């Protein structure tokens, strides 16, 4: 694994705007960065990323089954009791899921270590699935990278197949898409998925999450015209939906959700200590534990995470040498886990994280995020990769 500095493509920002990648720069700082790329060998990708991702995914599915059949494990994950039946029923019915992302610390030498799962509302999908592929093709054409370069990336192809499969299960071939208002990145992610859904033959109307309503006598949530929403993709976390006023209606109404309610099990950081309990000493897992209420002093070499946290918020860590880092955020009310600290590879001043994508139960691509800090945040840069 190498970080290789190269020239940027001419006029790439204009192309990004044309393709709807409006958040390539955030608050004046680059989010998409192509002054470098991360280089892997095919063996590294197949042996150290693709194969472990699929193995870990199967382990996660087995653990979901165990949690769904155990009220005690639901309680350990702090999942609200009113959601238990909806989670169990969605799992028992075999409701399909669409996608997920595993985040790894991987240096190119030794097994990749799972840092966390992003299995409910993962972002960076558009830049991983399409924009870095466009970069690869154009960088080859412009002689910026070797002509035989490739990329671990069948994300869009797998999404197309998964959405076509989902469409076959829908009674009216309609899948609504939603995200909150005034979030450019989330709207771009949802728009990307809408486009793929249309290619897969689905009707794919959009509604903002805040505009979803209920209608007396209707068995489904409704849109602004009070038409039933029979199936809905929501880029909104299950744990936050469960806290909304209408969240308590979710188990009572028949709207089919994507991601399905059983994904609430995997979007919870508490899944990490459960994985370690179930598969201790697995080469791709890090020791992880539920934090006890009276556990204040921790020896160096740990990462502390809330059960419910997004994009690095409220994560704290202390390295083996005693250096401390943390990120502020709003997630202060949930329980915490502790995970053994494992350093991400450092290239100059940048720490690199590998995000490995799963679509339809198959590993299908990856994206690299880098940051000067050890904690990957929403502002961490996305850098393309190539297999040489």
């Amino acid at each position: 694994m190498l970080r290789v500095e190269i020239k940027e493509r001419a006029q790439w920002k204009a192309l990004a705007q044309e393709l709807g990648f409006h958040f390539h720069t955030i608050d004046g700082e680059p989010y998409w960065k192509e002054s470098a790329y991360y280089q892997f060998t095919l063996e590294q990708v197949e042996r150290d990323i693709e194969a472990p991702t699929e193995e870990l995914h199967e382990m996660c599915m087995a653990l979901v089954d165990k949690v769904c059949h155990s009220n005690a494990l639901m309680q350990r994950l702090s999942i609200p009791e009113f959601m238990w039946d909806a989670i169990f029923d969605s799992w028992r019915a075999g409701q399909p899921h669409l996608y997920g992302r595993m985040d790894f610390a991987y240096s190119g030498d030794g097994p990749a270590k799972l840092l966390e799962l992003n299995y409910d509302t993962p972002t960076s999908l558009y830049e991983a699935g399409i924009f870095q592929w466009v970069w690869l093709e154009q960088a080859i054409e412009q002689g910026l990278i070797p002509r035989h370069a490739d990329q671990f990336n069948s994300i869009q192809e797998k999404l197309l197949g998964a959405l076509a499969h989902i469409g076959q299960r829908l009674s009216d071939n309609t899948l609504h898409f939603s995200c909150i208002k005034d979030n450019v990145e989330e709207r771009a992610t949802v728009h990307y998925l809408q486009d793929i859904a249309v290619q897969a033959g689905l009707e794919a109307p959009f509604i903002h999450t805040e505009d979803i309503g209920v209608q007396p006598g209707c068995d489904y949530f409704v849109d602004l015209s009070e038409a039933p929403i029979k199936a809905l993709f929501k880029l909104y976390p299950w744990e936050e939906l469960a806290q909304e006023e209408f969240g308590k209606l979710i188990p009572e109404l028949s709207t089919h959700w994507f991601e399905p309610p059983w994904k609430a099990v995997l979007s919870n950081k508490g899944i990490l200590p459960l994985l370690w309990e179930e598969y201790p000493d697995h080469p791709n897992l890090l020791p992880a534990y539920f934090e006890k209420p009276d556990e204040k002093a921790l020896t160096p070499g740990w990462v502390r995470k809330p059960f419910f946290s997004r994009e690095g918020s409220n994560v704290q860590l202390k390295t083996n040498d005693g250096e401390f880092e943390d990120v502020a955020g709003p997630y202060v009310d949930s329980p915490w886990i502790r995970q053994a600290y494992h350093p991400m590879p450092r290239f100059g001043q940048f720490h690199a994280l590998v995000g490995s994508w799963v679509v339809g139960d198959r590993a299908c691509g990856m994206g690299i995020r880098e940051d000067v800090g050890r904690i990957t945040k929403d502002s961490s840069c996305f850098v393309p990769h190539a297999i040489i």
Side-chain angles (χ1 to χ4, degrees):
M1 180 177 175
L2 303 172
R3 186 181 190 275
V4 183
E5 295 188 1
I6 58 167
K7 290 183 179 179
E8 298 182 355
R9 293 168 295 163
Q11 307 299 320
W12 72 261
K13 290 184 179 180
L15 176 64
Q17 291 296 119
E18 179 185 335
L19 295 179
F21 188 12
H22 303 303
F23 55 98
H24 59 76
T25 302
I26 301 175
D27 296 330
E29 296 295 326
Y31 166 66
W32 169 269
K33 186 189 294 184
E34 60 175 68
S35 55
Y37 71 94
Y38 281 91
Q39 178 179 309
F40 298 82
T41 67
L42 182 60
E43 183 182 24
Q44 286 174 326
V45 169
E46 292 181 341
R47 180 194 63 202
D48 296 339
I49 303 297
E50 183 178 20
T53 296
E54 296 197 347
E55 181 181 356
L56 289 169
H57 177 75
E58 292 305 314
M59 292 158 52
C60 289
M61 295 300 102
L63 193 50
V64 171
D65 186 68
K66 185 172 182 177
V67 171
C68 285
H69 287 86
S70 169
N71 290 346
L73 290 177
M74 292 278 199
Q75 287 180 320
R76 289 185 79 187
L77 294 176
S78 296
I79 295 173
E81 188 171 350
F82 78 88
M83 286 294 297
W84 292 358
D85 286 346
I87 290 170
F88 176 78
D89 291 343
S90 69
W91 178 255
R92 180 179 58 181
Q95 290 186 12
H97 65 115
L98 183 59
Y99 68 159
R101 193 188 75 238
M102 296 184 186
D103 287 343
F104 289 110
Y106 176 68
S107 64
D109 182 22
K113 297 293 186 179
L114 178 68
L115 301 180
E116 62 184 57
L117 298 169
N118 296 274
Y119 259 47
D120 182 24
T121 58
T123 52
S124 76
L125 181 67
Y126 173 84
E127 47 271 42
I130 185 65
F131 202 73
Q132 73 166 340
W133 182 258
V134 172
W135 166 85
L136 179 81
E137 292 183 327
Q138 294 188 346
I140 291 173
E141 290 173 1
Q142 297 175 24
L144 301 175
I145 60 176
R147 296 201 62 83
H148 61 278
D150 200 354
Q151 195 173 86
F152 179 37
N153 193 353
S154 62
I155 295 171
Q156 183 157 313
E157 174 189 337
K158 293 295 192 301
L159 285 170
L160 185 63
L163 285 164
H165 173 70
I166 286 170
Q168 294 171 3
R169 298 173 63 106
L170 303 179
S171 59
D172 60 358
N173 203 44
T174 299
L175 177 60
H176 283 74
F177 287 80
S178 73
C179 66
I180 61 172
K181 297 176 180 178
D182 302 323
N183 189 306
V184 175
E185 180 182 1
E186 293 189 4
R187 184 66 187 95
T189 298
V190 170
H191 188 269
Y192 175 53
L193 288 170
Q194 281 179 276
D195 284 347
I196 298 175
V198 170
Q199 294 176 44
L202 280 71
E203 297 292 327
F206 176 80
I207 181 171
H208 282 112
T209 305
E210 297 92 331
D211 293 333
I212 297 169
V214 293
Q215 177 72 12
C218 183
D219 291 335
Y220 302 90
F221 288 97
V222 298
D223 63 17
L224 288 171
S225 65
E226 299 184 352
I229 299 174
K230 295 185 178 180
L232 175 69
F233 173 89
K234 50 88 195 160
L235 196 64
Y236 196 73
W238 269 115
E239 66 269 15
E240 294 186 24
L241 269 179
Q243 295 175 5
E244 301 286 350
E245 187 62 31
F246 74 84
K248 292 181 173 57
L249 295 173
I250 290 170
E252 301 176 16
L253 299 178
S254 300
T255 296
H256 195 154
W257 293 85
F258 296 92
E259 299 291 70
W262 61 260
K263 274 296 191 76
V265 174
L266 297 178
S267 65
N268 184 316
K269 299 296 190 299
I271 200 68
L272 296 171
L274 290 184
L275 277 169
W276 184 251
E277 289 176 11
E278 199 74 10
Y279 306 97
D281 300 319
H282 188 282
N284 298 112
L285 295 178
L286 292 169
Y289 308 92
F290 292 99
E291 185 173 280
K292 300 174 183 177
D294 59 351
E295 209 161 31
K296 302 298 183 184
L298 300 173
T299 57
W302 53 262
V303 182
R304 189 170 183 254
K305 302 176 182 180
F307 275 22
F308 309 115
S309 171
R310 291 290 185 277
E311 298 176 324
S313 294
N314 298 98
V315 172
Q316 306 168 349
L317 67 78
K318 185 174 282 190
T319 71
N320 299 334
D321 296 328
E323 295 183 66
F324 180 80
E325 286 189 23
D326 68 340
V327 175
Y331 304 101
V332 295
D333 297 330
S334 70
W336 299 72
I337 69 153
R338 286 186 297 145
Q339 186 182 50
Y341 173 70
H342 185 85
M344 290 187 290
R346 184 168 179 174
F347 299 86
Q349 61 178 323
F350 299 111
H351 300 87
L353 174 139
V354 175
S356 180
W357 287 92
V358 175
V359 175
D361 299 309
R362 298 299 301 273
C364 58
M366 65 185 185
I368 315 299
R369 303 285 296 276
E370 67 175 25
D371 200 294
V372 293
R374 294 178 175 89
I375 300 172
T376 305
K377 305 178 288 293
D378 57 351
S379 59
S380 300
C381 295
F382 190 104
V383 183
H385 78 274
I387 298 171
I388 306 294

